[in-house]
Amino acid sequence: MQIQVTAASKRFNTEWIFSNLDFSFTTGQHYALIGNNGSGKSTLLQVIAGYIGLTKGAIHWTSKSGEAIDSANIFQYISIAAPYLELVEEFTALEQIIFHQQFKPLQNGLQPVELLEKIGLGNAANKQIRNFSSGMKQRLKLALAIFSTSPILLLDEPCSNLDKEGYALYKELIQKYAMHKLIIVGSNDPEEYAFCTQQINLMDYK
């Protein structure tokens, strides 16, 4: 797959978040969006995910076979983990995964209980998410995104609320289950994007 942004510009009210960004993202490559807080990392990730539109410029998504993908359907190809995306607090961990599977199948026929065991939450399978710590919630968010079959993985501050063990788990999950994907990480923490081979500093597009 390929994502092409051309003269991409986004404004909120009178403030331009970024302007005239030209870049091509390609399957199998890993990219880091870096820059100061407020530089537009999260905004660009949301544009790429199809959540919000550009003020100026264009974005085009192309499938592996070279066919154009409409913005209304791009969600089928993308999984995202971000601090501002919420889990369903009333669900148990198992219920959340089963609900998620209705929209995004898991890799290699992975079962919900197996997923929880891989992220150290096997004992919390029947616990309501409202009773999870922030670190437990982040582990689950990451797992749902990484283990999905979606070819594009967007990660916004992926290690938010994670401790040292959580950081290690994140790196392990990326290396074992996601390196074949098109990955874009928005972060100011080099540990979160150490595996990325290309960087885009959004401060260059102010």
Side-chain angles (χ1 to χ4, degrees):
M1 292 194 64
Q2 187 175 62
I3 303 168
Q4 180 71 49
V5 292
T6 307
S9 305
K10 183 63 181 178
R11 181 181 67 194
F12 290 122
N13 298 319
T14 60
E15 180 185 1
W16 287 96
I17 308 302
F18 53 80
S19 299
N20 298 313
L21 170 61
D22 292 291
F23 204 84
S24 181
F25 302 91
T26 305
T27 291
Q29 299 299 311
H30 311 128
Y31 308 86
L33 306 179
I34 64 174
N36 298 343
N37 291 341
S39 60
K41 300 183 296 296
S42 296
T43 300
L44 182 54
L45 284 173
Q46 290 179 60
V47 167
I48 291 169
Y51 291 171
I52 58 176
L54 290 166
T55 306
K56 292 182 180 179
I59 178 167
H60 298 285
W61 302 269
T62 307
S63 71
K64 189 176 180 180
S65 61
E67 297 177 358
I69 302 169
D70 187 85
S71 59
N73 297 318
I74 190 59
F75 72 93
Q76 299 176 29
Y77 299 85
I78 289 176
S79 289
I80 182 169
Y84 45 81
L85 296 179
E86 297 295 333
L87 300 166
V88 183
E89 297 277 315
E90 291 76 21
F91 280 173
T92 64
L94 274 179
E95 289 171 339
Q96 176 68 73
I97 298 168
I98 292 167
F99 177 73
H100 180 85
Q101 282 181 296
Q102 296 178 47
F103 308 96
K104 303 282 174 67
L106 300 178
Q107 293 184 38
N108 303 319
L110 185 69
Q111 296 302 307
V113 172
E114 293 178 275
L115 182 152
L116 290 171
E117 290 172 350
K118 287 181 183 295
I119 60 172
L121 296 180
N123 292 332
N126 296 306
K127 187 175 183 177
Q128 276 192 315
I129 290 169
R130 69 170 76 201
N131 297 316
F132 276 24
S133 68
S134 57
M136 292 168 70
K137 289 178 181 177
Q138 186 62 18
R139 285 183 181 226
L140 184 53
K141 287 183 189 180
L142 286 171
L144 291 173
I146 291 170
F147 284 117
S148 291
T149 54
S150 311
I152 301 171
L153 176 62
L154 306 181
L155 299 169
D156 195 352
E157 298 181 356
C159 293
S160 296
N161 303 311
L162 293 184
D163 55 15
K164 187 176 179 180
E165 275 188 11
Y167 265 79
L169 174 66
Y170 163 72
K171 294 173 183 177
E172 179 185 351
L173 293 178
I174 291 291
Q175 290 297 326
K176 285 187 176 181
Y177 304 104
M179 293 299 282
H180 61 288
K181 300 187 178 199
L182 192 174
I183 306 177
I184 308 174
V185 183
S187 174
N188 282 329
D189 183 349
E191 278 199 73
E192 295 182 327
Y193 58 83
F195 63 92
C196 295
T197 54
Q198 298 189 55
Q199 296 181 14
I200 306 163
N201 190 335
L202 290 180
M203 298 304 294
D204 296 336
Y205 299 93
K206 290 296 184 182

